[in-house]
Amino acid sequence: MILYSTKHASPDVSLEEAVFRGLPPDNGLYMPYEIPTLPQSFFDTIGDLSISEIAFEVAKALLGNDVPESDLKGIIERSINFEAPLVGIEPNKYVLELFHGPSMAFKDFGARFMAALMSYFLQKSHQDIHILVATSGDTGGAVAQGFYNTPGIKVTILYPTGKVSDIQEKQLTTLGGNVTALEVDGTFDDCQSLVKQAFLDQELSSKYNLASANSINISRLIPQSFYYFNAYAQLKKAGVDKPVVFCVPSGNFGNLSAGLIAQRMGLPVKMFVAATNINNIVPNYLASGVYEPRPSQETISNAMDVGNPSNFIRMQLLAGDAYEEVVKHIAGDFSNDDDTRVTMKEVYDKTGYIMCPHTAVAYRGLSSYMTELGEDVTGVLLSTAHYAKFLDVVEGTLGTTVPIPERLSALLSKEKVAIPMSTKFSDFKNYLLLL
């Protein structure tokens, strides 16, 4: 796999260099020159394959000769070892549950695959690296779990104070070991800005081998494509053959970009719906053709509180680049907090299904699109996190107590350990230089 920078001012790199560098020197994003199309035979038999078997075939096609097949199988077996079931909740409407991994969020797919891939490359090079990652919620917990006690890797997680749920905060501040949490007095965008500046700082780059675990890292997007294929496989196994619409609750747009990669590889997708909260920069772009980032606003669907999505350029390129092409593949929708709460309550009262706020945003976006479309399609909405990670919001909205998985409830009694940090890059840089 050879990758280029979206700003076209940095040299092309191999997969290994892109994984460890994270960002190109020109502050673009790495993109593969080629995205192969999978053979029809793969789709003919996909209903008989497990999620790990699907992941292996997709990764083998994307990575080419970068990782030998025997090693790639080991990476897949260590990282993609949990299910992503498709749950029917209404006629022609399914929830793809992506929260059955260790941290109970969809980020487990990307973080665990990335950790296993980095570990594989590090064993060959005998180097150490320092992971920097910004989180608006679930990324931090998934990265903490995925990289915990991985030899040769230190992890620093930046998160905005007061803007993640209690359980999310405990997931990234209670592990210790090689994982350190910085509580930033600002927004997710501030955290993301600090990480990007660190990668572009020559003094830091000369002292450390810095790498990113955010969705700006191409190795996060590759495994996120796996579950789109797996969802299609489950539909096919169930005998569902209507055109498929995926609705993706979106913040930084890595998840939707991964779906577009799957589509480019031949997955038959009629349309993607980008569902956001009031940080609706991309739905506005899809409606007007004008992309106008702005400061993020706080909502109950906090993992999507992003005012300048890092993966927008990737999404745009994967969907055809020109606005006229992008809207052929992606529709937009957004919900405010009142909309989200109403949806959570209505779905629960009607079906008994409990949704986190992000899932509710996706449900509303999918329902709106299917109603407007007026065609007989199969709708799949991505559920990105277990509802118990947003306990106060869920119970307050539904008006009842809900069960909490033991692995999450056990976190509540643990002591948070986090280092306060300002939004000034000079403070963050000095902290890193003193490590």
Side-chain angles (χ1 to χ4, degrees):
M1 178 183 278
I2 304 299
L3 301 102
Y4 67 92
S5 168
T6 54
K7 290 196 173 177
H8 304 286
S10 293
D12 296 344
V13 298
S14 66
L15 173 66
E16 181 174 357
E17 185 173 347
V19 168
F20 287 114
R21 186 180 286 276
L23 280 175
D26 63 7
N27 202 27
L29 293 173
Y30 283 122
M31 283 282 288
Y33 272 107
E34 296 183 12
I35 297 176
T37 301
L38 290 163
Q40 185 58 44
S41 57
F42 170 75
F43 295 101
D44 290 341
T45 60
I46 194 171
D48 300 323
L49 302 179
S50 68
I51 188 169
S52 58
E53 290 170 332
I54 290 170
F56 174 72
E57 294 299 328
V58 174
K60 181 174 67 172
L62 279 170
L63 271 56
N65 297 322
D66 287 274
V67 181
E69 286 191 18
S70 59
D71 294 319
L72 183 58
K73 282 185 178 178
I75 290 170
I76 295 294
E77 287 170 2
R78 289 196 301 276
S79 57
I80 313 299
N81 53 9
F82 50 92
E83 296 298 319
L86 199 64
V87 179
I89 58 169
E90 292 176 358
N92 299 328
K93 204 172 288 181
Y94 296 82
V95 179
L96 181 61
E97 294 185 344
L98 301 176
F99 50 72
H100 293 274
S103 78
M104 307 200 80
F106 80 103
K107 305 287 180 74
D108 285 323
F109 284 90
R112 289 171 64 80
F113 181 87
M114 179 189 297
L117 185 62
M118 284 184 168
S119 180
Y120 165 76
F121 284 136
L122 286 173
Q123 287 173 10
K124 290 179 18 179
S125 64
H126 304 290
Q127 291 184 349
D128 293 338
I129 62 166
H130 192 145
I131 300 285
L132 300 180
V133 60
T135 183
S136 58
D138 290 322
T139 295
V143 168
Q145 290 282 349
F147 286 86
Y148 181 58
N149 283 345
T150 300
I153 299 179
K154 289 182 179 180
V155 181
T156 297
I157 301 171
L158 292 78
Y159 73 99
T161 184
K163 294 180 174 62
V164 300
S165 74
D166 290 343
I167 286 179
Q168 286 176 321
E169 186 174 42
K170 289 294 181 72
Q171 282 189 311
L172 56 96
T173 62
T174 58
L175 276 179
N178 64 327
V179 178
T180 301
L182 302 185
E183 186 175 2
V184 177
D185 185 19
T187 66
F188 168 73
D189 292 332
D190 295 320
C191 298
Q192 190 162 250
S193 176
L194 291 174
V195 169
K196 286 185 175 182
Q197 290 179 78
F199 284 122
L200 299 174
D201 187 273
Q202 292 186 351
E203 187 177 6
L204 289 175
S205 298
S206 64
K207 183 172 181 178
Y208 302 111
N209 288 321
L210 297 178
S212 169
N214 279 93
S215 56
I216 56 176
N217 195 306
I218 190 66
S219 64
R220 271 275 303 276
L221 297 192
I222 291 169
Q224 287 180 256
S225 70
F226 301 160
Y227 46 72
Y228 288 93
F229 290 99
N230 185 54
Y232 177 75
Q234 292 178 72
L235 289 172
K236 189 165 186 178
K237 189 173 184 178
V240 178
D241 59 0
K242 298 173 184 175
V244 180
V245 174
F246 283 100
C247 186
V248 187
S250 301
N252 240 344
F253 281 82
N255 206 353
L256 199 149
S257 294
L260 290 166
I261 289 174
Q263 186 183 47
R264 290 276 295 271
M265 295 183 76
L267 185 69
V269 180
K270 179 177 179 63
M271 182 67 77
F272 292 96
V273 180
T276 74
N277 55 33
I278 58 172
N279 295 283
N280 57 348
I281 291 84
V282 171
N284 283 348
Y285 158 78
L286 293 168
S288 68
V290 179
Y291 180 67
E292 294 181 324
R294 61 175 186 266
S296 61
Q297 300 180 67
E298 188 174 351
T299 73
I300 60 172
S301 50
N302 64 286
M304 303 191 297
D305 293 351
V306 182
N308 188 11
S310 289
N311 284 291
F312 174 77
I313 182 63
R314 277 186 175 137
M315 182 202 81
Q316 193 177 34
L317 291 171
L318 288 164
D321 197 6
Y323 172 74
E324 294 75 13
E325 292 299 314
V326 173
V327 293
K328 292 178 182 178
H329 299 280
I330 310 169
D333 191 80
F334 71 94
S335 305
N336 61 34
D337 282 353
D338 289 340
D339 296 329
T340 303
R341 290 183 187 276
V342 167
T343 300
M344 292 167 68
K345 187 72 165 66
E346 286 183 346
V347 172
Y348 178 70
D349 289 344
K350 183 178 179 181
T351 70
Y353 192 86
I354 305 174
M355 293 180 165
C356 85
H358 311 77
T359 307
V361 168
Y363 176 92
R364 187 175 184 276
L366 179 63
S367 298
S368 297
Y369 178 80
M370 291 176 70
T371 299
E372 182 178 337
L373 184 67
E375 294 181 14
D376 195 12
V377 299
T378 296
V380 176
L381 63 109
L382 274 57
S383 182
T384 51
H386 194 282
Y387 64 80
K389 299 183 79 171
F390 309 91
L391 201 59
D392 291 346
V393 173
V394 172
E395 291 187 338
T397 299
L398 302 186
T400 184
T401 57
V402 296
I404 309 173
E406 193 279 332
R407 74 174 98 165
L408 293 182
S409 61
L411 289 169
L412 295 175
S413 61
K414 292 188 176 183
E415 183 180 353
K416 159 189 161 182
V417 179
I419 298 170
M421 181 60 58
S422 77
T423 58
K424 295 179 181 178
F425 178 65
S426 57
D427 291 341
F428 180 48
K429 179 177 177 178
N430 288 336
Y431 165 80
L432 291 175
L433 289 174
L434 291 173
L435 290 178

